[in-house]
Amino acid sequence: MENHVIDLRSDTVTQPTPAMREAMAMAEVGDDAYREDPTVQLLEQTAASLLGKESALFVSSGTMGNLVALMSHTHPGQEVILEANAHIYYYEAGGLARLAGLTPRLIDTPDGMIRLEQLQAALRLLNLQFAPAALFCLENTHNRAGGLVLPQEEVEKVTAYAKEMGLKTHLDGARLMNAAVYQNLAPERLAEPFDSVMLCLSKGLAAPVGSVLAGPADFIEKARLVRRILGGGMRQAGVLAAAGLTALTEMPKKLAEDHRRARKLGEGINKIPGLRVRGEVQTNIVIVDITAGDLDSHRLVEKWRQVGVLAGLVESRAVRLVTHYEITDADIEQVLEVTEEIMHQAR
Ligand code: TLP
């Protein structure tokens, strides 16, 4: 156990699997700017069909995929409607304003889900004084809501209304496969209500690099140009796409185990005085509030680090723990044991 670091900062920390490295080494490649990389093309076709869309585009990151989607759906000066804690707004370095020229309109929710009545109220207020709303986004699973899965019926209702009002719809599906596994629904079904969807290959699916953006063929052609403008066009990217293909085909079946371990972690943490899991643990993200004692999140993260456990900061008294395929049951037990000890000393 000594020197074994248990890295729960994110599912982005995952190493590529041996099967991925093998696929990368063997990948057939070409210059993707000439559309001559067969592995990139296969990944794009596989992703499009998995997500039930006409086409898909391989992009370097989730942030790139979301930004390309924003820029392809809108014009500068328009408004994008987002949940107040949406990753696109919160963690993408302000690209929506700086590069897409959009004004964000934020809607607060307790669980990441913008309800129909909330969108109706927001749109009723629009008049000439406001930037014209062009795009409606949701995030599934919702990162800052602790990996919660959006209720599909609500998603269908609110996106139908958005479309009726002339808005385009985009899903930040960085962890869409986690949402699909949790609900036992096809990813295609979760993507269906949206014009476009971004899915990350490099979160729980463990690819080293890359995301896919899927949507109608003409939208993806536009997106290809926007990706080029942003410097995101790639050449022999098949070496990366090969890992992405393995991620899409091999890794989703492992996600249920990540979810089970996150639940086990959450249940254990709820037994430790001074800590409380925020909401239900549905997928692989556990947000923990520090409810008593004088530890703040910086100090708790530092104490964990000293004993080989890495965690993320969410707020001054809230931390985040994320499970992924490298985390074992023994790791969860170890984390609970050291946490119990840390909290005992802090009392
Ligand atoms: N999220 C990262 C950090 O940026 C917070 C993480 O560790 O969870 N959408 C969602 C919902 C995401 O959680 C992320 C990554 C992205 C988009 C962006 O993906 P990358 O980091 O590949 O640009």
Side-chain angles (χ1 to χ4, degrees):
M1 271 300 167
E2 234 169 291
N3 296 329
H4 167 61
V5 172
I6 303 173
D7 195 344
L8 297 166
R9 284 172 302 173
S10 183
D11 46 11
T12 60
V13 303
T14 40
Q15 294 283 315
T17 64
M20 283 176 196
R21 289 187 184 270
E22 170 91 18
M24 292 173 81
M26 304 309 289
E28 209 184 311
V29 298
D31 190 331
D32 189 51
Y34 294 99
R35 306 201 185 191
E36 286 173 5
D37 190 304
T39 311
V40 169
Q41 286 178 356
L42 183 60
L43 171 67
E44 291 177 343
Q45 284 155 11
T46 305
S49 112
L50 182 80
L51 297 168
K53 302 292 182 205
E54 271 175 1
S55 295
L57 185 70
F58 183 42
V59 291
S60 60
S61 67
T63 302
M64 170 76 84
N66 283 331
L67 180 60
V68 166
L70 297 182
M71 292 176 73
S72 305
H73 280 307
T74 66
H75 299 291
Q78 293 182 318
E79 183 176 79
V80 53
I81 301 176
L82 300 149
E83 200 277 330
N85 277 295
H87 195 280
I88 292 177
Y89 172 73
Y90 211 97
Y91 287 125
E92 296 185 10
L96 89 172
R98 180 167 179 166
L99 296 171
L102 297 172
T103 300
R105 182 174 173 86
L106 301 179
I107 300 184
D108 270 309
T109 76
D111 57 1
M113 181 63 216
I114 298 174
R115 311 274 155 174
L116 174 62
E117 310 72 57
Q118 291 182 291
L119 184 63
Q120 282 171 335
L123 289 178
R124 265 191 218 116
L125 288 175
L126 298 186
N127 65 30
L128 257 189
Q129 289 176 315
F130 304 116
L135 179 64
F136 176 66
C137 298
L138 286 174
E139 182 177 316
N140 199 11
T141 64
H142 194 289
N143 186 341
R144 282 184 61 86
L148 288 185
V149 175
L150 303 186
Q152 192 58 19
E153 253 180 56
E154 299 288 327
V155 170
E156 284 164 13
K157 275 197 265 175
V158 74
T159 50
Y161 178 72
K163 282 182 193 175
E164 206 181 295
M165 299 305 284
L167 304 184
K168 295 290 180 195
T169 54
H170 172 71
L171 178 64
D172 176 347
R175 296 185 180 82
L176 186 75
M177 296 309 295
N178 296 79
V181 164
Y182 176 78
Q183 294 172 297
N184 199 19
L185 290 176
E188 181 180 345
R189 167 91 197 278
L190 305 194
E192 204 277 325
F194 297 89
D195 294 305
S196 61
V197 50
M198 187 284 289
L199 167 80
C200 285
L201 304 165
S202 66
K203 306 280 174 305
L205 301 184
V209 174
S211 294
V212 284
L213 174 65
D218 56 345
F219 167 80
I220 292 297
E221 275 315 295
K222 221 171 177 184
R224 195 176 288 278
L225 174 70
V226 173
R227 182 186 67 172
R228 172 77 189 165
I229 291 168
L230 295 173
M234 295 180 278
R235 302 294 180 171
Q236 288 73 25
V239 286
L240 299 173
L245 269 167
T246 309
L248 275 188
T249 50
E250 297 300 315
M251 299 305 283
K253 53 180 175 263
K254 298 188 195 289
L255 296 178
E257 282 289 280
D258 298 349
H259 299 176
R260 181 182 62 74
R261 293 197 177 99
R263 260 198 323 275
K264 184 168 152 188
L265 180 62
E267 281 159 17
I269 282 178
N270 274 339
K271 293 190 188 129
I272 301 175
L275 296 178
R276 190 83 212 155
V277 172
R278 194 182 287 178
E280 191 190 348
V281 178
Q282 295 184 340
T283 58
N284 68 329
I285 301 179
V286 185
I287 294 183
V288 183
D289 288 307
I290 305 169
T291 53
D294 41 55
L295 275 186
D296 63 9
S297 45
H298 280 277
R299 285 177 53 216
L300 177 57
V301 166
E302 177 52 25
K303 285 196 179 292
W304 266 329
R305 199 191 58 74
Q306 286 165 4
V307 291
V309 174
L310 303 183
L313 294 167
V314 177
E315 287 161 18
S316 61
R317 300 259 288 176
V319 294
R320 186 182 79 154
L321 304 166
V322 185
T323 58
H324 48 77
Y325 88 95
E326 291 170 42
I327 301 296
T328 64
D329 286 311
D331 290 335
I332 301 294
E333 278 153 32
Q334 167 89 0
V335 171
L336 290 172
E337 210 171 288
V338 300
T339 308
E340 171 87 57
E341 182 59 30
I342 290 170
M343 293 310 291
H344 185 75
Q345 281 170 10
R347 253 172 254 154

